[in-house]
């Protein structure tokens, strides 16, 4: 199935199947049904906030770009392809399958789970305020920024990696949240 280039897609039920085709969207939203990429390419080129709670499937490529954002709250464990963020942000508050790539200008955040691997050349910021982003596979930081929030009570954002974490340069950016006073020499697991 195809839509006009840069069109809007809302999936609230049923199934939208790319059947291996390429589709460019300007907005993507919905809270039900299934979005199946097959082996196709889905490009969300957006300047706005989008929220998708639909299931994802297929083994294609999903690119989010254009300066906007996607809040993914669905069950995408059946998706085994790649998600690429380029000058856009992805908040994972559900489960997203496949590998996720944050390129320069791309950001991954949220308190959900990534079933595959996470590659960071942009920004990874776990949590939704304080929270944990889980990665079942490996995490590779290739010059990216790891941004975390901490509280005086000892809580902090965390990236929970099931495989291997490889740190190839980059930096850690820590934001101290207001609240309890920070004790001297505090240690945080991030």
């Amino acid at each position: 199935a195809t839509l006009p280039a840069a069109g809007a897609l809302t999936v609230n039920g049923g199934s939208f199947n790319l059947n291996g085709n390429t589709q460019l969207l300007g907005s993507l939203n919905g809270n039900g049904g299934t979005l199946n990429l097959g082996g196709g390419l889905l490009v969300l080129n957006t300047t706005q906030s989008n929220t998708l709670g639909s299931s994802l499937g297929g083994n294609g490529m999903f690119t989010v770009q254009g300066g906007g954002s996607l809040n993914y709250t669905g069950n995408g464990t059946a998706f085994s392809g790649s998600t690429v963020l380029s000058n856009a942000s992805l908040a994972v508050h559900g489960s997203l399958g496949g590998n996720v790539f944050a390129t320069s200008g791309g950001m991954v955040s949220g308190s959900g789970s990534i079933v595959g691997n996470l590659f960071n050349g942009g920004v990874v910021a776990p949590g939704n305020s304080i929270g944990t982003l889980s990665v079942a596979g490996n995490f590779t930081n290739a010059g990216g920024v790891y941004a975390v929030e901490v509280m005086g009570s000892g809580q902090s954002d965390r990236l929970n990696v099931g495989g291997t974490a490889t740190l190839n340069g980059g930096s850690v950016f820590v934001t101290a949240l207001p609240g309890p006073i920070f004790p001297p020499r505090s240690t945080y697991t991030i």
Side-chain angles (χ1 to χ4, degrees):
T2 58
L3 297 170
L9 176 62
T10 301
V11 182
N12 284 322
S15 181
F16 184 85
N17 193 331
L18 285 179
N19 293 320
N21 293 313
T22 297
Q23 179 65 59
L24 174 66
L25 297 174
S27 69
L28 176 62
N29 293 283
N31 198 27
T34 300
L35 176 58
N36 190 339
L37 276 64
L41 169 63
L42 178 62
V43 178
L44 176 59
N45 188 23
T46 185
T47 58
Q48 59 191 348
S49 296
N50 299 266
T51 300
L52 183 65
S54 305
S55 297
L56 284 178
N59 61 356
M61 181 178 282
F62 183 22
T63 300
V64 183
Q65 63 187 32
S69 64
L70 176 64
N71 179 20
Y72 185 67
T73 60
N75 180 351
T77 57
F79 180 63
S80 61
S82 297
T83 301
V84 178
L85 306 161
S86 178
N87 191 33
S89 62
L90 169 68
V92 179
H93 292 290
S95 296
L96 180 59
N99 296 319
V100 178
F101 299 84
T103 65
S104 180
M107 182 169 108
V108 177
S109 64
S111 296
S113 61
I114 295 170
V115 178
N117 302 310
L118 174 59
F119 301 90
N120 182 30
V123 177
V124 169
N128 186 24
S129 193
I130 298 292
T132 300
L133 178 64
S134 297
V135 178
N138 300 322
F139 170 66
T140 301
N141 193 70
V145 174
Y146 182 62
V148 297
E149 297 172 321
V150 297
M151 294 186 68
S153 59
Q155 296 172 306
S156 63
D157 287 332
R158 184 176 298 184
L159 186 64
N160 184 14
V161 178
T164 302
T166 303
L167 306 177
N168 292 325
S171 59
V172 176
F173 183 80
V174 179
T175 300
L177 295 179
I181 296 174
F182 286 82
R185 294 176 295 279
S186 300
T187 301
Y188 294 89
T189 300
I190 57 172

